[in-house]
Amino acid sequence: MACARVPLDEQQVTEPGPLGKEHTLPALHPTRKEDRCFVPYKSPPEDGSPAEVEEFMEHAKFIVEDLEWLLTLPHDKFWCQVVFDDSLQRCLDSYLRQAPRGLDLASLPSSPAVADMQRSVHRAVFLTFLRMATHKESKENFLTPAVFGEIIYENFLFDIPKILDLCVLFGKGNSQLLHKMLENIFTQQPSYYSDLDETVPTVLQVFDTILGKCGLHSEGATAMEPMKLNAHKQPTAMAMSQQDLVDLILYLCDSTTTIHAFLDIFPAACSSFHSHGFLSRLTSFYETAVPDLEKAVRKRNFDDKGLQQDLWKRLSHSCRKMVETAHLLLHHTCLQPILEGGENMQTFAEELLQHFTSFLPEKRFLSDYDEQFPIADDISLLQQALPLIDETRMSYLLQGVESAWDSVGRRRPHSQARHQGAAGGAGAASTGFKFQEARELEGGEGLRGADAMLDVPGKGNHGVVSEGELESLLTCIRDLLPDLGEGFLLACLHEYDYNSELVINNILEDRLAPNLDKLDRAMPRPVKEVLPDVLDVRSNVFDDDEFDIFRRDQVDMSRIWKGRRKGESVREMLNDKKHIAEQKSRYQAYETVVDEVVIQPGESAETYGLDDDYDDEYDDTYDMGQVGANDLDGDSLLNRRPFTIPQILRKGNKPELEEEGEDEEEEETLQNNVNRDQFVQDPALLRERAEARRAAMHQRKGFRPEQRPNNVVGQAKGQGQTQETLIDRRKKEANKSRGANHNRRNMADRKRNKGMIPS
């Protein structure tokens, strides 16, 4: 028997030979393999006959019994069977290829017995692969890590296609176990990383194949690559046969789901995909192929409406998986290193911003990505981690996102309620939707539609859309469901926050809210209440004037002009005094002011336009008590200044009283004429006035004796100077700038005032 604490690859066992003689063999030897035939797997029948169901049940029972027997073998026997039994590998490979995926209609069990058997096979296959990926089961049962890696690699127990199938089949509900499996496989055998690098170009070829089938140009292809002869004959998605379109969408759905499952479970592979430019190719493919395929599914006439609904669900599922795959790549290659910190944070941030910038031309992809994973959140994260990041660049990216939403004609949701935060660890990348694959693997629930449409809309989140956007949403839905009334569709859009895709999915799956189920599906659009014209209810100070064009059919256009009126000069306009003549009569009415009117005997106050009624309620608070002020025997105390017409209103024919008053004023002006301002005044008079001013000044300051003249010349040189001469010289030196040649203007003005300068 094997020795304890010795690796299986180094153990030796002693067994009896064919002739009964014992001989020693390695623990891993072909002769130690049990003779047992493992049957290949066949998928469950789709609504098959009882005979087919019975055949599946019997076939699956053999597989379950054989795998359970294998799992009960001891460590050395198990590895001998795994390494040297080819039928076991064929059985496991057949299950990976033919087992129904989560979105396959074949996953719908025809009976509870079939569902139970399928789950038993599923569990047995998963446990077998799990034990195959474990090199150390206990302290006594283990393999040398290097030998383990060589065994699984050289015997093709695991390869990249098998790993991809394992992720898509067992990922939901078993992601942690699968992550440990793959981590152990890639750690013990690094050659799988090289295989993965060689596999990524093959995965990229999937996108080129789909674009070629749709008759679209692949942006990832080399510019100098020669065009194939039959390239111009490729049918488009609208022109290809219905079966080809179905196969193409199934191919896209399976590929995108598998890639996403692998990267979600094993994030270490993101670097390999990222190094091959997978992200840029993915976004380019999304922008090119998705609108064309969506148009084909909506516009083509399908005899089977159920098939059309199924294709739409799968296409929506594929779109979501591509968006989530792009987020996984960005998260694990750029965002995660920034969150962890380190020396290269700036490099990773720059790479992330470059990716976001490359998304800007891909309007459809950018809007779908931002709907699930708001770019504003990532930018906010960058600003927190790197405060010195360029704000202008951030604003440019956010404006590009808004432009993408506008260009695709969709309304950006106000809240991201469907988005869940990153959970951290291996499953850090989050998705904004709820999935049904886990339930399908456990309970066999059927295909419930595109997973992107499974959310219940939040009440009270209804946004406001413009009239153009609403018509676009109605047109999009009616292209696919023309038998529904616009009134019913409007109610659905309002209920589901104007999300047309969610409305279509819930109508097709008959999962509408209870209040919508009660409505008539042919209900027409309600008649919109016509509001009164704003011109009819407006109120303006210019209503009904001669220029009110809203109420008058004819307007005198000769009185309306722009700028200066043609044919009229400025001089003519200023000389036009018509307005003065119009005001003259008004002022003449105020010329005569009569304080008292003497009523002759036999006349009444009404003759003079006066009111003879005594007013008992008259308020005399502000009246002045001027008793006898207007008596005829004395001067009037109320003589008033005669009324005078303003100078501007006087013209030509003036009243006689005004002319007489002017003559008297002229005579009075001549008699009392003051001295006019003469240019040259009498010099004698000016000298007399100056002398008077000086005398007055001396009187104010008091008498001063006459000062002696300054003597600055003194005596000849060498004879000495008197004290008075020295004092005068110092005064001259100190005061020479006061009046020498520094006040010429003042002195000139003084001479001019005295008449000394001729004009």
Side-chain angles (χ1 to χ4, degrees), residues 480-527:
L480 188 61
L481 305 169
D483 56 328
L484 300 179
E486 291 188 358
F488 175 73
L489 295 180
L490 284 174
C492 294
L493 286 171
H494 180 73
E495 178 71 18
Y496 293 104
D497 200 16
Y498 296 93
N499 189 332
S500 60
E501 297 178 354
L502 185 57
V503 171
I504 293 173
N505 181 79
N506 289 340
I507 291 176
L508 295 177
E509 294 187 354
D510 198 16
R511 298 175 60 247
L512 291 174
N515 59 325
L516 297 177
D517 274 336
K518 299 177 183 178
L519 298 178
D520 181 13
R521 300 206 171 195
M523 181 175 62
R525 177 185 286 194
V527 179

Side-chain angles (χ1 to χ4, degrees), residues 609-731:
L610 303 176
D611 189 3
D612 196 20
D613 296 338
Y614 172 71
D615 187 6
D616 189 46
E617 300 294 334
Y618 177 72
D619 184 10
D620 58 355
T621 303
Y622 299 102
D623 288 353
M624 298 176 61
Q626 300 171 346
V627 180
N630 295 326
D631 291 347
L632 298 178
D633 56 348
D635 296 335
S636 176
L637 298 178
L638 298 177
N639 285 337
R640 299 189 179 184
R641 175 177 176 271
F643 181 80
T644 304
I645 297 178
Q647 184 73 22
I648 189 63
L649 297 178
R650 297 178 185 177
K651 183 178 179 182
N653 49 354
K654 301 179 181 178
E656 297 178 358
L657 181 61
E658 184 178 350
E659 294 178 357
E660 294 176 359
E662 290 182 359
D663 295 341
E664 295 177 358
E665 290 178 0
E666 290 178 0
E667 294 176 0
E668 193 175 329
T669 302
L670 293 175
Q671 296 174 2
N672 302 326
N673 185 23
V674 297
N675 292 334
R676 293 178 294 175
D677 185 15
Q678 300 176 357
F679 182 73
V680 178
Q681 298 184 11
D682 187 3
L685 181 60
L686 292 177
R687 286 193 294 272
E688 182 180 352
R689 292 177 182 174
E691 187 64 29
R693 285 197 299 272
R694 284 192 292 272
M697 183 178 62
H698 289 314
Q699 185 178 3
R700 287 196 304 270
K701 295 183 179 181
F703 174 75
R704 292 182 181 180
E706 184 177 355
Q707 298 180 357
R708 65 176 180 81
N710 293 336
N711 181 17
V712 296
V713 178
Q715 299 179 8
K717 187 175 181 181
Q719 297 180 6
Q721 305 296 337
T722 63
Q723 187 67 22
E724 288 80 3
T725 302
L726 296 176
I727 293 174
D728 291 341
R729 287 181 179 180
R730 284 200 298 269
K731 288 183 178 180

Side-chain angles (χ1 to χ4, degrees), residues 420-537:
Q420 302 171 355
S430 63
T431 60
F433 303 92
K434 301 176 182 176
F435 305 123
Q436 294 290 333
E437 285 87 345
R439 281 192 239 167
E440 292 166 4
L441 293 177
E442 296 176 5
E445 272 198 21
L447 184 67
R448 296 296 295 170
D451 297 334
M453 310 304 170
L454 294 178
D455 293 346
V456 177
K459 306 297 182 183
N461 258 347
H462 305 307
V464 179
V465 296
S466 65
E467 190 70 23
E469 291 176 339
L470 185 59
E471 293 297 332
S472 176
L473 293 175
L474 287 175
T475 304
C476 176
I477 299 176
R478 297 207 68 188
D479 287 343
L480 188 61
L481 305 169
D483 56 328
L484 300 179
E486 291 188 358
F488 175 73
L489 295 180
L490 284 174
C492 294
L493 286 171
H494 180 73
E495 178 71 18
Y496 293 104
D497 200 16
Y498 296 93
N499 189 332
S500 60
E501 297 178 354
L502 185 57
V503 171
I504 293 173
N505 181 79
N506 289 340
I507 291 176
L508 295 177
E509 294 187 354
D510 198 16
R511 298 175 60 247
L512 291 174
N515 59 325
L516 297 177
D517 274 336
K518 299 177 183 178
L519 298 178
D520 181 13
R521 300 206 171 195
M523 181 175 62
R525 177 185 286 194
V527 179
K528 187 176 181 180
E529 181 182 0
V530 179
L531 298 176
D533 191 359
V534 68
L535 297 177
D536 296 335
V537 297

Side-chain angles (χ1 to χ4, degrees), residues 151-253:
I151 289 175
I152 62 175
Y153 189 78
E154 296 298 334
N155 293 281
F156 296 95
L157 301 185
F158 292 98
D159 54 27
I160 299 301
K162 285 184 180 180
I163 292 173
L164 294 175
D165 289 333
L166 285 172
C167 292
V168 75
L169 283 174
F170 304 104
K172 295 301 177 180
N174 307 292
S175 59
Q176 294 183 357
L177 285 176
L178 268 176
H179 175 72
K180 292 181 179 180
M181 284 175 54
L182 299 184
E183 189 176 25
N184 189 50
I185 291 172
F186 278 84
T187 301
Q188 308 306 332
Q189 183 52 270
S191 298
Y192 282 112
Y193 282 108
S194 301
D195 293 350
L196 181 61
D197 288 334
E198 297 177 1
T199 306
V200 174
T202 305
V203 177
L204 292 173
Q205 187 63 34
V206 172
F207 299 148
D208 296 337
T209 301
I210 295 175
L211 290 174
K213 292 291 184 181
C214 296
L216 301 173
H217 175 66
S218 173
E219 295 186 7
T222 306
M224 300 303 295
E225 182 180 351
M227 182 179 294
K228 297 180 181 179
L229 295 177
N230 60 346
H232 64 283
K233 299 180 181 179
Q234 290 291 344
T236 62
M238 288 292 295
M240 68 174 59
S241 65
Q242 179 174 308
Q243 187 58 43
D244 290 342
L245 179 62
V246 172
D247 294 340
L248 196 63
I249 294 180
L250 291 178
Y251 181 48
L252 174 63
C253 182

Side-chain angles (χ1 to χ4, degrees), residues 295-342:
K295 179 181 177 182
V297 175
R298 287 200 308 263
K299 301 292 185 181
R300 290 181 61 136
N301 294 324
F302 288 84
D303 297 333
D304 185 5
K305 293 298 181 181
L307 176 62
Q308 185 180 18
Q309 297 173 12
D310 179 64
L311 292 179
W312 180 261
K313 297 170 187 176
R314 292 179 181 274
L315 184 56
S316 300
H317 178 82
S318 303
C319 293
R320 189 186 65 259
K321 290 302 178 184
M322 284 188 281
V323 170
E324 292 174 356
T325 300
H327 179 71
L328 282 173
L329 292 173
L330 288 177
H331 181 85
H332 292 290
T333 59
C334 299
L335 281 174
Q336 192 66 29
I338 295 175
L339 294 175
E340 294 173 355

